[in-house]
Amino acid sequence: VSKEYVTNSFPKAFPNACLNINATLKNDGGIADASVTTAHIVSRSQFRVYCGASTNNDIFWIAIGY
């Protein structure tokens, strides 16, 4: 993830609404920095993730909806 928003699609759109999404940056074992990782809901089928540092590490996310 680069230092910008990246729009992603949920594997399956929520039929009614996405209520919450959380994102966590996977630390590859190197020195951790103070980067902030955030996510916000775009729609029932999409969300955006932002990481304050350019990284090749994975970002894990979980979304809750109905």
Side-chain angles (χ1 to χ4, degrees):
V1 174
S2 61
K3 289 184 167 184
E4 60 187 42
Y5 281 102
V6 177
T7 302
N8 297 288
S9 294
F10 294 120
K12 184 175 179 181
F14 290 98
N16 297 297
C18 178
L19 302 175
N20 182 283
I21 184 162
N22 291 313
T24 303
L25 178 66
K26 176 187 172 200
N27 186 337
D28 63 1
I31 298 172
D33 60 19
S35 298
V36 175
T37 302
T38 61
H40 72 267
I41 301 161
V42 174
S43 67
R44 293 181 300 118
S45 62
Q46 292 187 318
F47 64 98
R48 287 193 179 131
V49 175
Y50 176 81
C51 182
S54 295
T55 178
N56 290 326
N57 292 341
D58 294 328
I59 293 180
F60 297 103
W61 59 269
I62 186 168
I64 299 170
Y66 68 102

